[in-house]
Amino acid sequence: MSKKRHTRPWIEVGREISSSRAGILTAISFALPLAIWSLVSYTPFIWHPDIRLELPASRADSTSVYVTGDHVGKDFFAEFQDAIRAENEAIERGETKSSRRSNTRQIRQVASLAIRQGWLNADQERDTEAIFYIWQDLATGERVSTRPVLSEENLYLVQKNWTLLSAAGSEYSRESIPSTPLYKLVPQGRPANPDYLPEPLAVLKAGINAFTNEIDEGETSMAERTLHSVKIVFSGFLVSCIIGIPLGMLCGSISFFSRLIEPFVDFFRYMPAPTFSTILVAILLANDAPKIAMVVLGTLFQMILIIAKTTRLLDNSLLEAAQTLGASQKQLLFKVIGPGILPNLYNDLRILLGWAWTWLVIAELIGVKSGLTEFIETQGRWRNFDQVYPIIILIGLIGYFTDQFLAWLRRPLFPWLGEPIGPKSRAVISCVAYVPNWFKDAVDRRQPNPPRT
Amino acid sequence: MSPESSVTKLPDYREQSPKVKERFERFHKRPVVLEVKNLGRVFESSNGPVTALEDVNFNIKRREFNCVIGPSGCGKSTLIRILAGLDYPTSGQVLLDGKPVLGPGADRGMVFQGYTLFPWLTVKRNVMFGPMNAGESETESERNARFWIDMVGLSKFENAYPYQLSGGMKQRTAIARALANQPRILLMDEPFGALDAQTRFQMQTSLLEIWRNVEVTILFITHDLEEAVFLSDRILVLDAHPGRVNEMIESPVPRPRNDEQCVHPEFLATKQHIEHLIHPPESRSDTPLRITRMTDPDDTVF
Ligand SMILES: Nc1ncnc2c1ncn2[C@@H]1O[C@H](COP(=O)(O)OP(=O)(O)OP(=O)(O)O)[C@@H](O)[C@H]1O
Ligand SMILES: [Mg+2]
């Protein structure tokens, strides 16, 4: 049974799309970048200009030592492999000198592999005896490495080395380390993207770890950092509002104040707020005060101008009507302009709150670094970009969801606009209405149980 | 029907029936509420000064219903804005009960063509706006608001927001809101201009009914001749460029008014006279439009 329904095209100029379609598009809007990121990360033949090492690598002719997980360029990697092969050939020809000490270092070649496989504990990196038996197991095939799977070439080298190591017996003793040189494993690795583009899963894992990891005494937990950052942004924004809203409304409604205040504000906002950071520290000293002041400096001046403009946009005929009804100047301000601009003011504040967030990073770098920014800074310096991305995304999510929440709240807040209340808004309203009950219940639960009768 | 032939059939618009004459005798004994003296308004524009009003003189009697009519751009809105105190004259003055008008005030209520209800207030709160600002108590002004809302027939909508109202209902609210202040004079600038014919007629009837029962003087701007004749005691006809008083017409149509009067000779005569004043016959162009035929030759619609 086919029911013929009138369906509108998806793409149409100047017409609002249905809410179910809007929902689908919103989902795609987020899924698309994520899909591109995954595609670039997990498809080996797309980009992947680097090799991520799965075995440590060092060269006789260079002081730099690469450990498992390091990134090197593809060309450099091939050249490196050839150099190691050349070194091994030189050993074969007996041209290389060696000592017990340098051989001890060569024995540790498989330590990281063994740790990754779970054969050794992380603190056994220098446990020569334990590593000695790993060589044995690898050579005899007792243990087979899966991460990485050793190449034919390397398995052959492992056996050769084991022959050298077991020359004095397959029991470990200090003397069992030979003085004849050991062969070097040829570096192995997988194609990888540069470290500044970690994979989605790595980022997700790092993000979860950042919030679930046990932290040492005296360290700041990620939740505390987040709270601190939120506090800086909201305090700064609140201070801006307390000063900016009245000033903006005065400028927008009374020419006297507009001419008195706006020219300077207009000039001041072109001076980059970060340039005042040292001055703010000098005035307000360390801790949070200069940070909050930075957010204020960054948002206040724009706020005054934007709110003044919004105030000016209020239909002048409403002011005239109020005047013919006998409203005084003060009543015009509080009874007409105030409520009249409220919905637009609300939207302005949402945008300005977004701006306040953009000042967060600069604010938290002032004086003593703090909050999420400090974490981003340190991890970024160590090139732990997989740690950095979750925090950046977190800041984005907090900002985005605050704004969405406020957007949903708009309709119930301003019933006189006649905007329909959608299911999302209704959900938010019920959540908000639920909070006081939750508090009440929490308080009730803390009361001692009434005696049973 | 050419205008000339109907003129011959119609009486002179100045011929008032004895009843009407007697009404105007009483009318002229009433005190003057609003007096406009040598009023002029010149706007400074980029193309030099524009004289919107020049030497306008007239007065409005207590409980008069006066309509101001004139061609577009003759300064009707400018005049009413000056009366309300929202604009100022560049010469002359306006006296309300003998005292000069210097700014807007609650003694002159105004109803605008655009609906200027406060969108964030319900109908009731809109009506309470003036009295509350004047310091009346909440309960008192609420009771009064109910009374005025009832008078304009919106009792069922007292808690509705303006966006929920039709154009006519919005204008009813605006009237109630202005009346709640009990102004000396109610100024209305084309209040029914945006309404459809049906609603407009209902509004006119209600307005007359309100005016009859409430102690209020009304100055009503319109560009609709029938509306002017139907509503008013006197009609102030303005000329354009510059805006000057052409004539203050005393309507010969008896009261109370009803829709049947719209075809009575005195009604038609007054209407026709105003028509002539606003659009003089010599100014009308009778040359037909030159239109090239663009349809098929046999595709005739008449
Ligand atoms: N602010 C102003 N600046 C310059 N000229 C103005 C201004 N306001 C009105 N005018 C001019 O004054 C004249 C009268 O304008 P007004 O709006 O009073 O006319 P009106 O009779 O109300 O016209 P309408 O019937 O179209 O409403 C017009 O010529 C107009 O161009
Ligand atoms: Mg006008």
Side-chain angles (χ1 to χ4, degrees):
Chain A
M1 190 183 76
S2 75
K3 204 164 67 177
K4 212 171 172 191
R5 271 189 60 206
H6 181 73
T7 48
R8 303 212 67 87
W10 280 76
I11 293 171
E12 219 175 346
V13 171
R15 192 180 275 276
E16 193 56 47
I17 208 162
S18 76
S19 64
S20 56
R21 284 178 176 184
I24 293 171
L25 291 176
T26 306
I28 293 177
S29 149
F30 279 91
L32 207 61
L34 202 65
I36 293 171
W37 184 20
S38 301
L39 197 73
V40 173
S41 297
Y42 296 122
T43 322
F45 53 84
I46 296 181
W47 203 27
H48 288 74
D50 284 4
I51 298 285
R52 182 163 45 240
L53 294 180
E54 293 181 310
L55 286 176
S58 65
R59 262 160 87 163
D61 55 356
S62 160
T63 50
S64 40
V65 174
Y66 296 93
V67 298
T68 304
D70 279 355
H71 282 237
V72 293
K74 267 190 176 140
D75 296 342
F76 182 74
F77 180 70
E79 192 195 315
F80 210 107
Q81 284 183 316
D82 289 343
I84 300 288
R85 287 188 190 112
E87 278 185 41
N88 283 342
E89 276 162 28
I91 294 171
E92 195 92 47
R93 288 194 299 271
E95 290 167 10
T96 316
K97 285 202 197 73
S98 170
S99 64
R100 279 230 168 97
R101 248 178 66 134
S102 65
N103 275 343
T104 310
R105 221 179 304 135
Q106 296 308 331
I107 286 179
R108 290 181 193 147
Q109 281 183 90
V110 293
S112 67
L113 174 147
I115 292 169
R116 240 178 112 194
Q117 291 285 343
W119 299 336
L120 295 180
N121 293 326
D123 55 1
Q124 286 179 297
E125 210 176 2
R126 283 158 190 275
D127 186 343
T128 319
E129 181 175 356
I131 301 170
F132 180 85
Y133 292 114
I134 298 287
W135 283 99
Q136 179 181 28
D137 291 350
L138 282 172
T140 56
E142 190 91 346
R143 293 181 196 261
V144 178
S145 170
T146 50
R147 290 184 333 163
V149 177
L150 287 176
S151 62
E152 290 283 316
E153 186 182 19
N154 276 337
L155 276 175
Y156 177 66
L157 288 170
V158 167
Q159 274 154 15
K160 274 173 122 180
N161 273 353
W162 177 243
T163 318
L164 293 171
L165 287 169
S166 58
S170 54
E171 287 294 305
Y172 175 78
S173 67
R174 272 193 61 95
E175 286 68 40
S176 60
I177 298 174
S179 47
T180 44
L182 290 170
Y183 294 94
K184 278 189 185 173
L185 296 186
V186 178
Q188 273 184 242
R190 286 172 173 283
N193 280 327
D195 53 0
Y196 54 77
L197 186 74
E199 297 153 9
L201 277 179
V203 169
L204 184 70
K205 227 158 58 186
I208 293 171
N209 284 344
F211 278 89
T212 50
N213 273 355
E214 298 263 315
I215 45 143
D216 298 339
E217 190 85 12
E219 268 184 45
T220 335
S221 77
M222 200 52 73
E224 282 168 334
R225 286 180 188 281
T226 313
L227 225 75
H228 184 266
S229 293
V230 169
K231 196 187 103 189
I232 297 282
V233 170
F234 278 85
S235 316
F237 183 69
L238 198 72
V239 173
S240 275
C241 285
I242 291 170
I243 308 170
I245 294 176
L247 275 185
M249 280 177 64
L250 277 182
C251 288
S253 48
I254 301 172
S255 187
F256 175 86
F257 291 106
S258 165
R259 302 292 160 156
L260 185 69
I261 295 168
E262 277 186 70
F264 182 76
V265 168
D266 211 2
F267 154 70
F268 201 95
R269 75 186 167 128
Y270 284 104
M271 295 195 278
T275 52
F276 289 90
S277 56
T278 47
I279 303 168
L280 290 178
V281 173
I283 301 171
L284 297 164
L285 308 174
N287 294 333
D288 290 348
K291 296 171 198 289
I292 294 172
M294 173 58 63
V295 175
V296 173
L297 217 55
T299 48
L300 175 63
F301 299 96
Q302 311 284 350
M303 183 182 277
I304 293 175
L305 295 181
I306 287 183
I307 292 178
K309 182 163 172 252
T310 296
T311 310
R312 265 180 221 117
L313 283 181
L314 180 71
D315 188 357
N316 196 43
S317 62
L318 291 182
L319 288 176
E320 293 189 337
Q323 280 176 292
T324 62
L325 291 168
S328 66
Q329 297 282 311
K330 201 175 116 196
Q331 284 164 340
L332 285 181
L333 271 180
F334 288 99
K335 298 273 174 73
V336 183
I337 293 177
I341 66 166
L342 210 55
N344 288 336
L345 180 73
Y346 185 78
N347 278 358
D348 287 347
L349 291 184
R350 274 173 49 202
I351 293 170
L352 287 160
L353 181 59
W355 285 8
W357 274 102
T358 64
W359 290 104
L360 170 74
V361 171
I362 291 162
E364 286 193 325
L365 289 179
I366 294 180
V368 186
K369 287 175 196 155
S370 66
L372 294 174
T373 311
E374 188 202 2
F375 184 82
I376 293 175
E377 257 277 306
T378 12
Q379 297 299 325
R381 202 162 289 177
W382 295 337
R383 297 187 76 84
N384 291 338
F385 293 109
D386 55 340
Q387 308 272 333
V388 168
Y389 280 99
I391 308 304
I392 298 177
I393 294 171
L394 174 71
I395 295 178
L397 286 177
I398 296 174
Y400 180 75
F401 280 107
T402 330
D403 190 63
Q404 287 296 303
F405 174 76
L406 293 176
W408 292 329
L409 218 54
R410 181 180 148 87
R411 283 159 196 181
L413 276 179
F414 307 115
W416 46 270
L417 293 175
E419 292 169 351
I421 294 184
K424 274 193 267 177
S425 289
R426 208 165 291 136
V428 173
I429 302 161
S430 44
C431 285
V432 173
Y434 178 77
V435 169
N437 284 338
W438 180 81
F439 272 114
K440 205 173 133 275
D441 291 350
V443 171
D444 287 348
R445 255 180 272 121
R446 301 188 84 190
Q447 308 283 331
N449 287 338
R452 284 194 191 159
T453 47
Chain B
M1 184 180 80
S2 81
E4 281 73 26
S5 66
S6 57
V7 159
T8 50
K9 273 185 265 160
L10 290 174
D12 192 308
Y13 71 99
R14 280 162 297 205
E15 265 175 32
Q16 293 168 338
S17 64
K19 222 172 107 197
V20 172
K21 208 172 240 145
E22 189 241 2
R23 191 161 66 84
F24 272 104
E25 267 161 29
R26 276 188 284 128
F27 175 91
H28 285 295
K29 290 194 193 113
R30 293 187 208 160
V32 170
V33 171
L34 186 85
E35 195 176 359
V36 174
K37 277 188 175 158
N38 309 325
L39 193 78
R41 178 70 169 97
V42 179
F43 287 108
E44 293 304 330
S45 78
S46 48
N47 315 330
V50 178
T51 309
L53 294 172
E54 193 179 77
D55 198 27
V56 173
N57 287 287
F58 66 92
N59 51 46
I60 305 288
K61 299 276 165 74
R62 193 180 87 82
R63 301 228 30 217
E64 169 171 3
F65 198 129
N66 189 299
C67 276
V68 181
I69 201 162
S72 181
C74 70
K76 304 184 292 290
S77 295
T78 308
L79 173 67
I80 206 163
R81 286 174 56 79
I82 291 174
L83 299 185
L86 296 172
D87 200 351
Y88 57 92
T90 42
S91 59
Q93 60 176 344
V94 178
L95 301 174
L96 184 76
D97 294 321
K99 289 188 283 295
V101 163
L102 298 173
D107 49 2
R108 282 148 292 135
M110 182 137 166
V111 176
F112 301 80
Q113 175 175 7
Y115 316 113
T116 54
L117 298 183
F118 304 118
W120 58 93
L121 297 178
T122 59
V123 166
K124 190 171 70 191
R125 288 271 155 191
N126 261 289
V127 176
M128 286 162 70
F129 183 88
M132 288 274 282
N133 282 348
E136 204 172 275
S137 76
E138 172 123 14
T139 44
E140 177 78 10
S141 58
E142 188 165 344
R143 198 175 59 229
N144 288 338
R146 287 231 169 81
F147 169 80
W148 292 111
I149 292 169
D150 190 41
M151 174 173 290
V152 296
L154 280 180
S155 295
K156 282 194 195 131
F157 292 90
E158 63 171 35
N159 290 318
Y161 284 106
Y163 81 90
Q164 296 166 307
L165 303 179
S166 70
M169 284 148 80
K170 281 183 198 168
Q171 235 27 341
R172 283 173 192 272
T173 312
I175 292 170
R177 183 178 69 172
L179 288 176
N181 264 354
Q182 300 195 276
R184 291 290 292 151
I185 184 164
L186 180 62
L187 306 167
M188 306 177 90
D189 188 357
E190 301 198 30
F192 308 148
L195 304 179
D196 63 89
Q198 189 67 34
T199 318
R200 177 189 274 242
F201 180 71
Q202 283 171 6
M203 292 295 290
Q204 290 164 352
T205 322
S206 323
L207 183 62
L208 280 180
E209 206 51 33
I210 291 167
W211 169 75
R212 225 156 57 90
N213 295 298
V214 178
E215 208 234 271
V216 67
T217 308
I218 296 179
L219 187 112
F220 187 107
I221 288 183
T222 177
H223 60 253
D224 179 336
L225 304 178
E226 286 198 18
E227 186 171 61
V229 182
F230 181 67
L231 292 175
S232 46
D233 293 318
R234 295 193 299 170
I235 301 157
L236 179 69
V237 184
L238 292 183
D239 279 341
H241 310 294
R244 280 207 202 107
V245 175
N246 182 305
E247 191 179 342
M248 183 71 112
I249 298 171
E250 291 181 356
S251 171
V253 187
R255 287 195 190 271
R257 305 272 162 84
N258 55 52
D259 50 342
E260 281 151 37
Q261 284 170 325
C262 296
V263 290
H264 279 196
E266 61 266 70
F267 188 97
L268 294 174
T270 318
K271 186 181 146 195
Q272 195 172 60
H273 175 65
I274 303 170
E275 175 98 50
H276 280 221
L277 289 180
I278 297 174
H279 307 290
E282 59 269 24
S283 75
R284 290 184 203 161
S285 72
D286 288 333
T287 36
L289 297 175
R290 297 168 61 91
I291 298 175
T292 316
R293 182 160 187 154
M294 292 188 290
T295 61
D296 288 337
D298 54 346
D299 186 12
T300 313
V301 287
F302 59 90

